[in-house]
């Protein structure tokens, strides 16, 4: 299901010029809304899925969310205007939100501690490997003659995922953890989540780093394809190389976290990410905002590599103390991190000025803020860990 979320964002990027022409979009920066309105539906919807799954079980709620996602795909294919297409993207995001909440809740149902972080890394690896091929899939769909075929590919994936989950996935919610579907029970779970310093702190750090990813994704088409570097058909190659660095890091993290612990890996990764973000800004200034492509890709890939040691571990650390309310906690924290990340990413994306500087400044700033939040969360005791974290 995480693959559905990734492909819903990344395989649409090559279609931006075709969509711009079809609907007469006047400002290329407005095309970024196709990413950010998706997140607008994706974020708030998560609040609903968690309590529902805590009461009804993970399986039926996940299948229902896939149905909503399919409806969004169909509406996008029928869009007569850019506004309609944006509305369809919101519906897609609402449907995909179920996968974000329930995949993490299912992992928390079955695992804890470093084992949970390891499994979370493998899930994140799927989420990050898909962008290696998603723009290429989008480009291949465009070869059939229309941007509509990009949504056809999303629809096909949704049907495959629905069939696979229907056949293979058992119910993972322990009977003793079922909670009544009531406002009171939901409020109690949210209060418990907000009262847990580790959950709030690491979720905030995760949201800030998510903002870096969203800012990059929102700007990528303009940076690599039609704007700064004008790669055209080679855009998916550049995008895939950067995504490949993230996928490799999550695989390494899934193994290293068992030995080194979530805290040390995530904190070291965030600190190094911030330092490289500063280097990215310096290089951008040194080359007037347009460094050589190979150099920019190398630094960007290094940063994406480092961020992948933080994000899956932050997710696991935030959920670790909340097993009894995993569904609601996952939904609330998912909503919070998504909205925070989308807002930060939108600010980075809309700052695109024909240079790479907004991405670098965004990475350095948000990475630094994430380190401050982590220090607050741990009361200044960094690079330490307990027996399970």
């Amino acid at each position: 299901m995480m693959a559905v979320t990734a492909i819903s964002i990344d395989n649409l990027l090559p279609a931006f010029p075709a969509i711009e022409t079809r609907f007469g979009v006047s400002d290329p920066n407005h095309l970024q809304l196709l990413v950010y309105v998706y997140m607008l539906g994706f974020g708030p919807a998560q609040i609903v899925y968690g309590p529902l799954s805590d009461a009804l079980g993970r399986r039926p709620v996940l299948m229902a969310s896939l149905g909503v996602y399919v409806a969004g795909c169909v509406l996008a294919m029928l869009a007569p205007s850019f506004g309609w297409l944006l509305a369809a993207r919101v519906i897609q995001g609402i449907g995909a939100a179920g996968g974000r909440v329930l995949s993490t809740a299912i992992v928390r149902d079955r695992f804890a501690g470093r084992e949970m972080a390891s499994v979370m890394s493998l899930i994140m690896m799927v989420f990050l490997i898909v962008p290696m091929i998603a723009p290429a899939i989008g480009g291949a769909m465009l070869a059939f003659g229309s941007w509509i075929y990009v949504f056809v590919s999303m629809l096909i994936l949704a049907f495959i995922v629905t069939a696979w989950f229907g056949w293979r996935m058992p119910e993972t919610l322990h009977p003793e953890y079922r909670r009544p579907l009531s406002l009171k029970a939901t409020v109690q779970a949210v209060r418990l989540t907000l009262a847990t310093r580790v959950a709030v702190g690491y979720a905030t750090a995760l949201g800030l780093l998510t903002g870096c990813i969203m800012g990059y994704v929102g700007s990528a088409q303009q940076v690599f394809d039609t704007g700064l570097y004008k790669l055209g058909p080679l855009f998916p190659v550049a995008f895939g190389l950067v995504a490949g660095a993230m996928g490799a890091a999550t695989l390494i993290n899934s193994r290293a976290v068992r030995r080194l612990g979530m805290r040390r890996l995530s904190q070291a990764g965030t600190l190094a990410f911030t330092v490289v973000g500063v280097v990215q800004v310096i290089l951008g200034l040194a080359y007037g905002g347009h460094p050589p492509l190979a150099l920019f890709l190398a630094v960007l890939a290094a940063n994406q590599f480092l961020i992948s040691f933080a994000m899956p571990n932050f997710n696991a650390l935030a959920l670790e103390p909340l097993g009894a309310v995993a569904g609601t906690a996952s939904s609330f924290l998912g909503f919070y991190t998504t909205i925070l990340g989308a807002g930060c990413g939108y600010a980075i994306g809309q700052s695109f000025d024909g240079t790479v500087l907004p991405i670098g400044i965004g990475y350095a700033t948000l990475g630094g803020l994430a380190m401050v939040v982590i220090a607050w969360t741990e009361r200044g005791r960094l690079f330490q860990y307990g027996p399970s974290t």
Side-chain angles (χ1 to χ4, degrees):
M1 190 63 193
M2 295 294 278
V4 171
T5 300
I7 205 168
S8 298
I9 297 172
D10 298 322
N11 79 338
L12 190 59
L13 299 180
F16 278 13
I19 293 172
E20 180 182 14
T21 301
R22 168 64 179 83
F23 297 115
V25 180
S26 57
D27 185 348
N29 275 8
H30 290 168
L31 292 168
Q32 296 179 14
L33 292 174
L34 291 167
V35 174
Y36 298 120
V37 299
Y38 175 89
M39 301 306 292
L40 185 63
F42 186 82
Q46 294 179 62
I47 296 178
V48 177
Y49 289 117
L52 279 175
S53 73
D54 278 345
L56 305 177
R58 314 303 188 205
R59 247 181 84 93
V61 176
L62 181 56
M63 300 300 281
S65 73
L66 284 165
V68 175
Y69 177 83
V70 166
C73 291
V74 173
L75 288 171
M77 292 162 61
L78 299 174
S81 67
F82 189 62
W84 178 301
L85 183 58
L86 292 177
R89 290 289 285 167
V90 173
I91 295 171
Q92 275 190 297
I94 291 171
R100 163 62 177 81
V101 171
L102 294 167
S103 59
T104 53
I106 289 168
V107 172
R108 185 60 190 87
D109 287 341
R110 302 192 61 182
F111 304 98
R114 296 183 187 184
E115 187 71 17
M116 178 175 65
S118 178
V119 175
M120 207 73 86
S121 290
L122 294 175
I123 292 175
M124 186 65 72
M125 183 176 66
V126 174
F127 179 74
L128 296 174
I129 285 177
V130 168
M132 294 175 63
I133 59 172
I137 294 173
M141 293 298 102
L142 287 173
F144 286 101
S146 173
W147 56 269
I148 293 174
Y149 292 110
V150 176
F151 288 97
V152 172
S153 68
M154 298 181 197
L155 194 63
I156 292 171
L157 178 61
F159 284 135
I160 293 172
V161 171
T162 301
W164 189 88
F165 272 109
W167 176 46
R168 295 283 297 172
M169 192 186 79
E171 180 56 60
T172 62
L173 178 62
H174 302 298
E176 63 269 24
Y177 284 165
R178 284 188 181 266
R179 299 173 60 84
L181 185 58
S182 70
L183 180 60
K184 181 180 179 181
T186 300
V187 169
Q188 287 175 342
V190 170
R191 282 179 177 172
L192 175 61
T193 303
L194 290 173
T196 306
R197 186 186 187 99
V198 168
V200 173
Y202 280 106
T204 301
L206 177 60
L208 292 170
L209 295 190
T210 300
C212 296
I213 299 296
M214 295 308 303
Y216 162 64
V217 170
S219 307
Q221 190 272 336
Q222 289 166 280
V223 170
F224 291 123
D225 188 358
T226 58
L228 193 57
Y229 292 106
K230 302 186 185 304
L231 294 180
L234 294 178
F235 163 53
V237 176
F239 197 85
L241 288 173
V242 175
M246 299 180 74
T250 54
L251 179 59
I252 295 170
N253 180 76
S254 70
R255 298 178 180 181
V257 72
R258 299 173 187 267
R259 180 167 55 89
L260 299 176
M262 293 183 279
R263 280 179 164 83
R264 286 205 298 188
L265 270 177
S266 62
Q267 292 165 13
T270 305
L271 180 59
F273 170 83
T274 304
V275 171
V276 176
V278 174
V279 171
Q280 201 170 328
V281 174
I282 293 171
L283 287 174
L285 291 172
Y287 286 95
H290 191 171
L293 176 62
L295 180 60
F296 176 65
L297 279 176
V299 175
L300 184 62
N303 242 342
Q304 303 300 83
F305 181 86
L306 292 166
I307 203 173
S308 301
F309 288 98
M311 294 179 68
N313 293 323
F314 284 169
N315 209 5
L317 284 164
L319 282 175
E320 169 68 18
L322 299 170
V325 291
T328 301
S330 176
S331 67
F332 179 75
L333 293 177
F335 157 72
Y336 171 54
T337 58
T338 299
I339 294 301
L340 177 59
C344 293
Y346 179 79
I348 294 172
Q350 290 297 296
S351 299
F352 179 73
D353 58 0
T355 75
V356 301
L357 283 170
I359 295 177
I361 292 170
Y363 278 25
T365 302
L366 295 180
L369 288 174
M371 282 304 303
V372 171
V373 171
I374 293 168
W376 169 82
T377 303
E378 299 292 351
R379 294 181 168 88
R381 298 187 296 272
L382 299 178
F383 306 108
Q384 301 180 25
Y385 66 96
S388 65
T389 61

